Amino acid sequence: MRVHSLLELEEQYANLLAALDRGEALRRALALLADGSEVAWTARPDADGVLTLDQVTGDRTGVLRALRVPPSTGLTGKVFRAGRAEWVDDYFGSQEITHDFDRHIATENVRRVLAVPLLRDGETLGVLAIGPREDGTFGDREIEHASAIAAQAALAISLAERARLSREIAVHEERRRMAADLHDSVGALLFAIGSGMADLAESTQADPELRARLEGLRRQAVDATTALRESLRTLRSSPAALALGVALRADCEAFADRTGLPAELVILDEDPPELAPSRSDTLLTAVREALLNVEKHAHASAVTVSVQHSNPWLTVAVHDDGVGLGPDYTPGLGLTSSAEALGRLGGSVRVVSDPDGGTIWRARLPC
């Protein structure tokens, strides 16, 4: 019984690792899709829509590994652009695809190919494909099986990317904390040393040599302070795509510290957009006003702040489990002002009662 429990625990741990690692999730998907006699691959897009075959299994020559596929070329590129499953039972005789990669497919002795998109929330994250080496036709069961695996893989990719983003936000928060600690400790110490050297130099007028040595030490302290300031600037800086998440998490923590209520940040997108500082500041001010409104009026026991990017909109919602909106609800001056500020940027704000209890404040901003 104890060995059985350990095996179950090991399997759960492996599943958790797969859910948090994009590469491992895709390797598992390929293992489910193809047996040893077939080639299978996944393709990942870059910012320009060019696909790269980043995971390949069952190949014999290596010609498919890291192969770059321009948009709409071959079956893989066509499926990525169309966002739906497609297949060819005679790869080399098909008139439905371009034949840019005939040499690669022939080198692997592949006869037919089935490709399915990795879809999540209406976005194509990549392509999953299988290439049997024997002649035949793809049946409905094979297509449904590949589509089901692709759906699971897309979910795993989404979870892995969100986990990666959460880790990066946590790292940058820790860097900012370290910067603050260094500023308060080492920065203050260097300032005290420099001031002390200057005072000693003033009091040693009768000894020019000692005065010069003290002045040299004071300059070194000034140089060290300058170097520390540059290091602190680097530690505090966050990539633009992470800055919003870092700030929102800090706001959630501040809310929790003030009220004693749990406040959780949930980022629902693996690729947050970069906002201009002025737009980000306006959005953050609006979110803080919404949190303040929860603190004053909601009588809530918990709050969730969520962020989602669905091109071209960035949506931030503040959801509490409090008493909801009364029949005579009217927004206060703070909420009205923040809504007007977002409106000037092309955004909008809605405040509604949740049918399950509580209130949802939701802001949308084009990005």
Side-chain angles (χ1 to χ4, degrees), residues 72-136:
S72 299
T73 59
L75 185 64
T76 299
K78 181 183 179 182
V79 165
F80 179 76
R81 178 61 60 88
R84 63 176 181 271
E86 300 213 17
W87 58 94
V88 288
D89 292 323
D90 178 6
Y91 188 92
F92 302 101
S94 174
Q95 301 299 313
E96 304 298 322
I97 61 172
T98 70
H99 288 274
D100 302 62
F101 308 106
D102 282 7
R103 179 180 63 83
H104 303 80
I105 297 297
T107 300
E108 284 292 340
N109 199 30
V110 169
R111 306 301 302 167
R112 51 198 177 99
V113 176
L114 164 65
V116 291
L118 298 169
L119 293 173
R120 187 67 183 167
D121 296 329
E123 182 183 2
T124 305
L125 306 178
V127 176
L128 181 68
I130 182 171
R133 291 187 168 95
E134 76 282 352
D135 292 326

Side-chain angles (χ1 to χ4, degrees), residues 38-57:
E38 302 164 321
V39 185
W41 62 84
T42 62
R44 182 177 187 173
D46 63 16
D48 297 322
V50 176
L51 297 160
T52 300
L53 272 57
D54 57 345
Q55 297 281 347
V56 181
T57 185

